[in-house]
C-alpha cells in the first residue's frame, strides 16, 4: 500500500518542480535566519538568488558534522526555542553529541514519513508493531512510535533491552511487525531459542531494521531465524531520524528516499565532486521542508549509490542502495581499504560460525594487524573435540578474508555466546592504533 499516493508517485517533472520551489525557500530562510549559513554562503561567494535550478545547488557549500559540533548545542536552529517542541541527540562515538530540534510541523512531517515506511512494509492499522528501537534521545524509538500511531497500528513501546521480557511479550501479545537494529534481531532470536521458544512460530510477519550497517547475508539469517520478511530502513538524526528512506515490500532492493522532503546527491568523498546517479559515493542530503533544523548539503559520510531506475511498486522516488560503509569508519589495513561490513559479509557466508564478531586493529612493529574474533556455532563447538576441526576453520576464514579483501587477518575462534551482545547499535571495531 502507498500511504501518500499523491506525493509518493509524483511524475519526475512535477517532483523536481516541487523540489526546486522548496529548495529556494530553504536556501533563503537559512541565509537570513542562521548566522552560520550566512557566513558560509558569503565565504563561498553564493547568494540565495544564485539558485535558479536544482543543479545550482552544487555551487553551495557543504555542511559537515564539525559545523554541528562547533555550533553545539542549538546554534544552527532556524526558529526560536519557543517554536521547538522536541529535542533529540545522537551520542556520537567521538566528540560532542549532535543536537537536533523539531517544530510541531516537523514532528507531523516525520510521523507521516514513518507512516509511509510502515505502509511500504505492507502494514496497516490492523497490525501490531513491537517497537524495540530505544526511546529517549535516540531518534529510533519515538520516530517509529509516532509513525506507527499515525498509521493507526497498535504500537508496543517496548524500547531496547530486557530481552527476556521482550520475548515473553512477543509470544503473549503476538505483534505482526518488529522494529529494531538488525543485530538486536539476531540477539532476540538467539536468546529466544535459548529459552526454548520457537521463534519461527511467532506471529511476526515483517521486520523493519536499520540504524546500523548490515548485509544481505544477515538479512537471510534474520529471516530464517524469525520467519519474517526483513526490510531495511535508513535515516540519521541530523536529517530527521528514521524514515529518510525505506525499502518497499514489492521491490526489496534499495530504499526509496522521501524526495519530496529531502534532496540527495552522491559525491566523491575526497574531492567533493558530485557523481552521476548510480555511482558509489558519499550521500549528501539537503532538507527542503524542515523548519527547526534545516541543513543544506549535509555530508553524511555514508557510502552508497542511487538507483534511479523505476521500481515495480509504483513509487517514483529514487532508491538508494544499502549503506556499504562510512567514509570515516573505513579501516586502512596495510594500505588496503576495508569496511567492517565486508568482513561481516565474508563471515556470515561460512557455515559453522555465528554472525557475532569483533575486529581488533593494532599496529605492531609498525605493521597494521587485524584480529577477527568470531564465535563458532554450538554444533561446531560441541563436535570440535578434535583441535584440527577448529584449526581448519580458522585457516578457511583467513583464506576467505585474504581472497575477498586482500588482507591478512589473524582469526581467533571463540566459544559460542562469549562476545559482547548489543541492545542498540553494535560497536564491533576496536582500533588500538596510535598514528
Ligand atoms: O540511526 C536513525 C535510525 C533509527 C535509522 C532507526 C533507522 C532506524 P543516528 O543515530 O543519527 O540515527 O545514526 C545515523 O546510522 O549515518 C548511518 O551511518 C547509520 N544507519 C542508519 N540506518 C542505517 C541502515 C539513526 N539502514 C547513522 N543501514 C547513519 C546502515 C545505517 N547504516
Amino acid at each position: 500500500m502507498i500511504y501518500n499516493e499523491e506525493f509518493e508517485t509524483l511524475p519526475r517533472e512535477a517532483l523536481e518542480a516541487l523540489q526546486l520551489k522548496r529548495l529556494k525557500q530553504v536556501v533563503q530562510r537559512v541565509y537570513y535566519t542562521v548566522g552560520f549559513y550566512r557566513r558560509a554562503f558569503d565565504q563561498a561567494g553564493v547568494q540565495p538568488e544564485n539558485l535558479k535550478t536544482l543543479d545550482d545547488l552544487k555551487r553551495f557549500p557543504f555542511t559537515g558534522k564539525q559545523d554541528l559540533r562547533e555550533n553545539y548545542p542549538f546554534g544552527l536552529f532556524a526558529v526560536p526555542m519557543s517554536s521547538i517542541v522536541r529535542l533529540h541527540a545522537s551520542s556520537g562515538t567521538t566528540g560532542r553529541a549532535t543536537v537536533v530540534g523539531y517544530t510541531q510541523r516537523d514532528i507531523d512531517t516525520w510521523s507521516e514519513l514513518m507512516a509511509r515506511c510502515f505502509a511500504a512494509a505492507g502494514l496497516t492499522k490492523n497490525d501490531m508493531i513491537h517497537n524495540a528501537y530505544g526511546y529517549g534521545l535516540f531518534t529510533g524509538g519515538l520516530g517509529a512510535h509516532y509513525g506507527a500511531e499515525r498509521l493507526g497500528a497498535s504500537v508496543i513501546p517496548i524500547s531496547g533491552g530486557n530481552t527476556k521480557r521482550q520475548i515473553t511479550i512477543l509470544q503473549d501479545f503476538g505483534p505482526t511487525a518488529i522494529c529494531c537494529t538488525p543485530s538486536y534481531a539476531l540477539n532476540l532470536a538467539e536468546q529466544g531459542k535459548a529459552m526454548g521458544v520457537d521463534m519461527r512460530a511467532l506471529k511476526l510477519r515483517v521486520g523493519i531494521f536499520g540504524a546500523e550497517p548490515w548485509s544481505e547475508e544477515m538479512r537471510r539469517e534474520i529471516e530464517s531465524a524469525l520467519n519474517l520478511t526483513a526490510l531495511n530502513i535508513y535515516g540519521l538524526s541530523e536529517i530527521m531520524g528514521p524514515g529518510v528512506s525505506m525499502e518497499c515490500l514489492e521491490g526489496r532492493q534499495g530504499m526509496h528516499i522521501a524526495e519530496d522532503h529531502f534532496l540527495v546527491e552522491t559525491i566523491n568523498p575526497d574531492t567533493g565532486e558530485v557523481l552521476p546517479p548510480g555511482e558509489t559515493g558519499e550521500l549528501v542530503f539537503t532538507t527542503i521542508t524542515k523548519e527547526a533544523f534545516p541543513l543544506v548539503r549535509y555530508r553524511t559520510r555514508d557510502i552508497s549509490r542511487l538507483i534511479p531506475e523505476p521500481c515495480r511498486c509504483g513509487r517514483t522516488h529514487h532508491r538508494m542502495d544499502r549503506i556499504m560503509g562510512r567514509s570515516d569508519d573505513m579501516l586502512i589495513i596495510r594500505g588496503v581499504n576495508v569496511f567492517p561490513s565486508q568482513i561481516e559479509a565474508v563471515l556470515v557466508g561460512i557455515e559453522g560460525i555465528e554472525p557475532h564478531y569483533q575486529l581488533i586493529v593494532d599496529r605492531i612493529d609498525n605493521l597494521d594487524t587485524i584480529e577477527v574474533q568470531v564465535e563458532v556455532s554450538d554444533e561446531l563447538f560441541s563436535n570440535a573435540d578434535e583441535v584440527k576441526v577448529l584449526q581448519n576453520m580458522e585457516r578457511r576464514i583467513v583464506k576467505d578474508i585474504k581472497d575477498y579483501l586482500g588482507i591478512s587477518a589473524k582469526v581467533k575462534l571463540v566459544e559460542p555466546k562469549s562476545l559482547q551482545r548489543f541492545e542498540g547499535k553494535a560497536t564491533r571495531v576496536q582500533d588500538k592504533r596510535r598514528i
Side-chain angles (χ1 to χ4, degrees), residues 302-362:
D302 289 323
I303 305 292
S304 181
R305 80 185 173 96
L306 301 179
I307 307 174
E309 292 79 28
C311 180
R312 61 163 162 254
C313 71
R315 290 176 182 80
T316 52
H317 295 179
H318 286 164
R319 287 168 288 165
M320 54 182 258
D321 209 339
R322 62 167 65 252
I323 302 292
M324 299 158 196
R326 289 180 55 86
S327 61
D328 56 0
D329 84 348
M330 184 176 71
L331 298 166
I332 304 179
I333 309 289
R334 301 195 193 177
V336 182
N337 297 351
V338 187
F339 289 110
S341 55
Q342 294 175 304
I343 295 186
E344 178 182 294
V346 172
L347 295 177
V348 292
I350 298 176
E351 197 151 311
I353 58 172
E354 294 290 310
H356 300 290
Y357 67 95
Q358 278 273 321
L359 306 179
I360 294 138
V361 183
D362 211 340

Side-chain angles (χ1 to χ4, degrees), residues 86 88 102 105-115 138-140 142-144 146-147 240-243:
R86 174 100 66 82
H88 279 287
Y102 304 78
R105 213 187 81 180
D106 292 334
I107 296 286
D108 290 344
T109 305
W110 187 13
S111 308
E112 174 183 330
L113 296 190
M114 272 309 300
F138 176 55
T139 51
L142 284 168
Y146 276 58
M240 176 177 82

Side-chain angles (χ1 to χ4, degrees), residues 65 89-91 133 138-141 180 208-214 232-238 241-243 255 300-302 322-326 425:
K65 190 112 185 157
S90 83
S91 48
Y133 284 123
F138 176 55
T139 51
C180 61
I208 293 126
F209 304 118
E212 66 182 6
W214 53 311
N232 199 358
I233 184 167
Y234 169 83
L236 61 167
S237 340
E238 297 93 312
M255 299 170 272
T300 62
R301 299 281 171 191
D302 289 323
R322 62 167 65 252
I323 302 292
M324 299 158 196
R326 289 180 55 86
K425 287 171 194 278

Side-chain angles (χ1 to χ4, degrees), residues 180-350:
C180 61
T181 56
S183 56
Y184 192 57
L186 282 174
N187 191 345
L188 273 171
E190 184 183 85
Q191 291 209 33
K193 202 169 154 200
M195 283 163 66
V197 177
D198 181 359
M199 295 298 278
R200 288 183 52 85
L202 298 171
K203 283 206 186 134
L204 293 176
R205 202 172 75 234
V206 66
I208 293 126
F209 304 118
E212 66 182 6
W214 53 311
S215 52
E216 283 304 316
E217 288 81 358
M218 210 161 152
R219 165 154 33 208
R220 283 195 285 277
E221 195 102 23
I222 297 171
E223 290 188 334
S224 104
L226 293 174
N227 191 22
L228 48 66
T229 301
L231 296 174
N232 199 358
I233 184 167
Y234 169 83
L236 61 167
S237 340
E238 297 93 312
I239 296 305
M240 176 177 82
V244 172
S245 67
M246 168 79 194
E247 254 175 0
C248 58
L249 198 57
E250 299 87 340
R252 271 173 40 97
Q253 205 171 64
M255 299 170 272
H256 289 281
I257 301 158
E259 283 191 285
D260 50 339
H261 295 275
F262 312 110
L263 288 190
V264 61
E265 302 167 272
T266 25
I267 62 162
N268 174 328
D270 300 323
T271 61
E273 173 209 357
V274 176
L275 300 171
E279 280 193 22
T280 301
E282 180 181 335
L283 297 176
V284 171
F285 282 100
T286 299
T287 66
I288 52 173
T289 54
K290 253 170 60 172
E291 290 183 333
F293 189 61
L295 286 175
V296 174
R297 302 196 86 202
Y298 182 66
R299 291 191 58 163
T300 62
R301 299 281 171 191
D302 289 323
I303 305 292
S304 181
R305 80 185 173 96
L306 301 179
I307 307 174
E309 292 79 28
C311 180
R312 61 163 162 254
C313 71
R315 290 176 182 80
T316 52
H317 295 179
H318 286 164
R319 287 168 288 165
M320 54 182 258
D321 209 339
R322 62 167 65 252
I323 302 292
M324 299 158 196
R326 289 180 55 86
S327 61
D328 56 0
D329 84 348
M330 184 176 71
L331 298 166
I332 304 179
I333 309 289
R334 301 195 193 177
V336 182
N337 297 351
V338 187
F339 289 110
S341 55
Q342 294 175 304
I343 295 186
E344 178 182 294
V346 172
L347 295 177
V348 292
I350 298 176

